[in-house]
Coordinates of all heavy atoms in Angstrom, one line a residue:
V1 N 112.6 -105.9 33.8 CA 114.1 -105.5 33.6 C 114.7 -105.3 34.9 O 115.9 -105.8 35.0 CB 114.1 -104.2 32.8 CG1 115.5 -103.8 32.5 CG2 113.4 -104.5 31.3
H2 N 114.2 -104.6 35.8 CA 114.7 -104.4 37.2 C 115.0 -105.8 37.8 O 116.0 -105.9 38.5 CB 113.8 -103.5 37.9 CG 113.9 -102.1 37.6 ND1 113.4 -101.1 38.3 CD2 114.2 -101.6 36.3 CE1 113.5 -100.0 37.7 NE2 114.0 -100.2 36.5
E3 N 114.0 -106.8 37.7 CA 114.2 -108.0 38.2 C 115.4 -108.8 37.6 O 116.3 -109.4 38.2 CB 113.0 -108.9 38.0 CG 111.9 -108.8 39.0 CD 110.8 -109.7 38.8 OE1 111.0 -110.9 38.7 OE2 109.6 -109.3 38.8
N4 N 115.5 -108.6 36.3 CA 116.7 -109.0 35.5 C 118.0 -108.6 36.1 O 119.0 -109.3 36.1 CB 116.4 -108.9 34.0 CG 115.5 -109.8 33.4 OD1 115.0 -110.7 34.0 ND2 115.1 -109.5 32.1
I5 N 118.1 -107.2 36.4 CA 119.3 -106.6 36.8 C 119.7 -107.3 38.1 O 120.9 -107.5 38.3 CB 119.0 -105.1 37.0 CG1 118.8 -104.4 35.7 CG2 120.1 -104.6 37.9 CD1 120.2 -104.1 35.0
Q6 N 118.8 -107.6 38.9 CA 119.3 -108.2 40.3 C 119.7 -109.6 40.0 O 120.6 -110.1 40.6 CB 118.0 -108.3 41.2 CG 117.5 -106.9 41.7 CD 118.7 -106.0 42.2 OE1 119.4 -106.5 43.1 NE2 118.8 -104.8 41.8
R7 N 119.1 -110.4 39.1 CA 119.5 -111.8 38.8 C 120.8 -111.8 38.1 O 121.6 -112.7 38.3 CB 118.4 -112.4 38.0 CG 117.1 -112.6 38.6 CD 116.1 -113.2 37.7 NE 114.7 -113.3 38.3 CZ 113.7 -113.9 37.8 NH1 113.8 -114.5 36.6 NH2 112.5 -113.8 38.3
A8 N 121.2 -110.8 37.3 CA 122.3 -110.8 36.5 C 123.6 -110.6 37.4 O 124.7 -111.1 36.9 CB 122.2 -109.5 35.5
Q9 N 123.5 -110.1 38.5 CA 124.6 -110.0 39.4 C 124.9 -111.2 40.3 O 126.1 -111.2 40.8 CB 124.3 -108.7 40.4 CG 124.0 -107.4 39.6 CD 123.7 -106.4 40.7 OE1 124.5 -105.9 41.4 NE2 122.4 -106.0 40.6
K10 N 124.0 -112.1 40.3 CA 124.3 -113.2 41.1 C 125.4 -114.2 40.7 O 125.7 -114.1 39.5 CB 123.0 -114.2 41.3 CG 121.9 -113.3 42.1 CD 120.6 -114.3 42.1 CE 119.6 -113.4 42.9 NZ 118.3 -114.3 43.0
R11 N 126.0 -114.9 41.6 CA 127.0 -115.7 41.3 C 126.7 -116.7 40.2 O 125.7 -117.4 40.3 CB 127.6 -116.4 42.5 CG 128.6 -117.5 42.4 CD 129.3 -117.8 43.6 NE 128.5 -118.1 44.8 CZ 128.0 -119.3 45.0 NH1 128.3 -120.4 44.3 NH2 127.1 -119.4 46.0
D12 N 127.6 -116.7 39.1 CA 127.4 -117.6 37.9 C 125.9 -117.6 37.4 O 125.3 -118.6 37.1 CB 127.7 -119.1 38.4 CG 128.0 -119.9 37.2 OD1 128.3 -119.5 36.1 OD2 127.9 -121.2 37.3
A13 N 125.5 -116.3 37.2 CA 124.2 -116.1 36.7 C 124.0 -116.7 35.4 O 122.8 -117.1 35.1 CB 123.8 -114.6 36.7
V14 N 125.0 -116.7 34.5 CA 124.9 -117.4 33.2 C 124.3 -118.7 33.2 O 123.3 -119.0 32.4 CB 126.2 -117.3 32.5 CG1 126.1 -118.2 31.2 CG2 126.6 -115.8 32.2
N15 N 124.7 -119.5 34.2 CA 124.2 -120.9 34.3 C 123.2 -121.2 35.3 O 122.5 -122.2 35.2 CB 125.6 -121.9 34.7 CG 126.7 -121.7 33.5 OD1 126.3 -122.0 32.4 ND2 127.8 -121.4 34.0
C16 N 122.9 -120.2 36.2 CA 122.1 -120.5 37.3 C 120.8 -119.8 37.3 O 119.8 -120.0 38.2 CB 122.9 -120.3 38.7 SG 124.3 -121.4 38.9
E17 N 120.7 -118.8 36.5 CA 119.5 -117.8 36.6 C 118.8 -117.9 35.3 O 119.3 -118.3 34.2 CB 120.0 -116.5 36.9 CG 120.6 -116.2 38.2 CD 119.7 -116.4 39.4 OE1 118.6 -116.2 39.3 OE2 120.2 -117.0 40.3
K18 N 117.6 -117.4 35.4 CA 116.7 -117.2 34.2 C 116.2 -115.9 34.2 O 116.2 -115.1 35.3 CB 115.4 -118.2 34.3 CG 115.7 -119.6 34.0 CD 114.4 -120.4 33.8 CE 114.6 -121.7 33.3 NZ 113.3 -122.6 33.2
F19 N 116.0 -115.3 32.9 CA 115.7 -113.9 32.8 C 114.5 -113.7 32.0 O 114.1 -114.4 31.1 CB 116.8 -113.2 32.0 CG 118.2 -113.3 32.7 CD1 119.0 -114.4 32.7 CD2 118.6 -112.3 33.6 CE1 120.2 -114.5 33.3 CE2 119.7 -112.4 34.3 CZ 120.6 -113.4 34.1
W20 N 113.7 -112.6 32.4 CA 112.4 -112.3 31.6 C 112.8 -111.8 30.2 O 113.6 -111.0 30.1 CB 111.6 -111.3 32.4 CG 111.1 -111.7 33.7 CD1 111.5 -111.4 34.9 CD2 110.0 -112.6 33.9 NE1 110.8 -112.1 35.9 CE2 109.8 -112.8 35.2 CE3 109.0 -113.3 33.0 CZ2 108.7 -113.6 35.9 CZ3 108.0 -114.1 33.5 CH2 107.9 -114.2 35.0
M21 N 112.2 -112.4 29.2 CA 112.5 -111.9 27.9 C 111.3 -112.4 27.0 O 110.7 -113.4 27.3 CB 113.8 -112.5 27.4 CG 114.3 -112.0 26.0 SD 114.6 -110.2 25.9 CE 116.0 -110.0 26.9
K22 N 111.2 -111.7 25.9 CA 110.2 -112.2 24.9 C 110.6 -113.6 24.4 O 111.7 -113.9 24.0 CB 110.0 -111.3 23.6 CG 109.1 -109.9 24.0 CD 109.0 -109.3 22.7 CE 107.9 -108.2 22.9 NZ 107.6 -107.4 21.6
S23 N 109.7 -114.5 24.3 CA 110.0 -115.9 23.8 C 110.3 -116.0 22.4 O 111.1 -116.8 22.0 CB 108.8 -116.8 24.2 OG 107.6 -116.4 23.6
N24 N 109.8 -115.0 21.5 CA 110.1 -114.8 20.1 C 110.5 -113.5 20.0 O 109.9 -112.5 19.9 CB 108.8 -115.2 19.3 CG 109.2 -115.5 17.8 OD1 110.1 -114.7 17.3 ND2 108.5 -116.2 17.1
L25 N 111.8 -113.4 19.6 CA 112.5 -112.0 19.6 C 112.1 -111.3 18.3 O 112.3 -110.0 18.3 CB 114.0 -112.2 19.6 CG 114.5 -112.7 20.9 CD1 116.0 -113.1 20.9 CD2 114.2 -111.9 22.1
I26 N 111.6 -111.9 17.3 CA 111.4 -111.2 16.1 C 109.7 -111.1 15.9 O 109.3 -110.6 14.8 CB 111.9 -112.0 14.7 CG1 111.4 -113.5 14.8 CG2 113.4 -112.0 15.0 CD1 111.9 -114.2 13.6
D27 N 109.0 -111.4 16.8 CA 107.6 -111.2 16.9 C 107.2 -110.2 17.9 O 107.3 -110.3 19.1 CB 106.8 -112.6 17.2 CG 105.3 -112.5 17.1 OD1 104.9 -111.4 16.8 OD2 104.6 -113.5 17.4
D28 N 106.6 -109.0 17.4 CA 106.3 -108.0 18.2 C 105.2 -108.3 19.2 O 105.1 -107.7 20.4 CB 105.8 -106.8 17.4 CG 106.9 -106.0 16.7 OD1 108.1 -106.3 17.0 OD2 106.5 -105.1 16.0
D29 N 104.4 -109.1 18.9 CA 103.3 -109.7 19.7 C 103.6 -110.8 20.8 O 102.7 -111.4 21.4 CB 102.0 -110.0 19.0 CG 101.6 -108.8 18.1 OD1 101.6 -107.6 18.6 OD2 101.2 -109.0 16.9
S30 N 104.9 -111.2 20.7 CA 105.2 -112.4 21.5 C 105.1 -112.1 22.9 O 105.4 -111.0 23.3 CB 106.6 -112.9 21.1 OG 107.0 -113.9 22.0
A31 N 104.7 -113.1 23.8 CA 104.6 -112.9 25.2 C 106.0 -113.2 25.7 O 106.9 -113.5 25.0 CB 103.7 -114.0 25.7
Y32 N 106.1 -112.6 27.0 CA 107.5 -112.8 27.6 C 107.4 -113.9 28.6 O 106.3 -114.2 29.1 CB 107.9 -111.5 28.2 CG 107.1 -110.9 29.3 CD1 107.2 -111.3 30.7 CD2 105.9 -110.1 29.0 CE1 106.3 -110.8 31.6 CE2 105.1 -109.5 29.9 CZ 105.3 -109.9 31.4 OH 104.5 -109.4 32.3
E33 N 108.6 -114.5 28.9 CA 108.6 -115.5 29.8 C 110.1 -115.6 30.4 O 111.0 -114.8 30.0 CB 108.3 -116.9 29.2 CG 109.2 -117.2 28.0 CD 108.9 -118.6 27.3 OE1 108.7 -119.5 28.1 OE2 108.8 -118.6 26.1
E34 N 110.3 -116.5 31.3 CA 111.6 -116.7 31.9 C 112.4 -117.6 31.0 O 112.0 -118.7 30.8 CB 111.5 -117.3 33.4 CG 110.9 -116.2 34.3 CD 110.9 -116.8 35.8 OE1 110.0 -117.7 35.9 OE2 111.6 -116.2 36.6
L35 N 113.5 -117.2 30.6 CA 114.4 -118.0 29.7 C 115.8 -117.9 30.2 O 116.2 -117.0 30.9 CB 114.4 -117.4 28.2 CG 113.2 -117.3 27.6 CD1 113.4 -116.4 26.3 CD2 112.6 -118.6 27.2
T36 N 116.5 -119.1 29.9 CA 118.0 -119.0 30.2 C 118.8 -118.1 29.4 O 118.2 -117.8 28.2 CB 118.6 -120.4 30.1 OG1 118.6 -120.9 28.8 CG2 117.8 -121.4 31.1
L37 N 120.0 -117.8 29.7 CA 120.8 -116.9 28.7 C 121.1 -117.6 27.5 O 121.2 -117.1 26.4 CB 122.0 -116.5 29.5 CG 122.0 -115.1 30.2 CD1 123.3 -114.8 30.9 CD2 121.7 -114.1 29.3

């Protein structure tokens, strides 16, 4: 989450950055990975 905070502030982060997040948002056991917004 802290890594994501740093990435979120970068110029045009929506299009240029990836963020750590669960790959399947409705599965409690889902692994996390880097995803685009």
Side-chain angles (χ1 to χ4, degrees):
V1 176
H2 288 198
E3 283 187 44
N4 286 348
I5 289 281
Q6 296 305 313
R7 297 178 185 187
Q9 302 175 69
K10 293 183 179 180
R11 176 163 47 93
D12 201 20
V14 169
N15 296 305
C16 300
E17 296 295 322
K18 288 189 174 183
F19 298 85
W20 295 103
M21 184 63 71
K22 280 189 172 182
S23 56
N24 190 326
L25 297 172
I26 58 176
D27 182 0
D28 284 353
D29 299 322
S30 173
Y32 60 91
E33 60 178 313
E34 291 179 293
L35 300 171
T36 66
L37 268 176

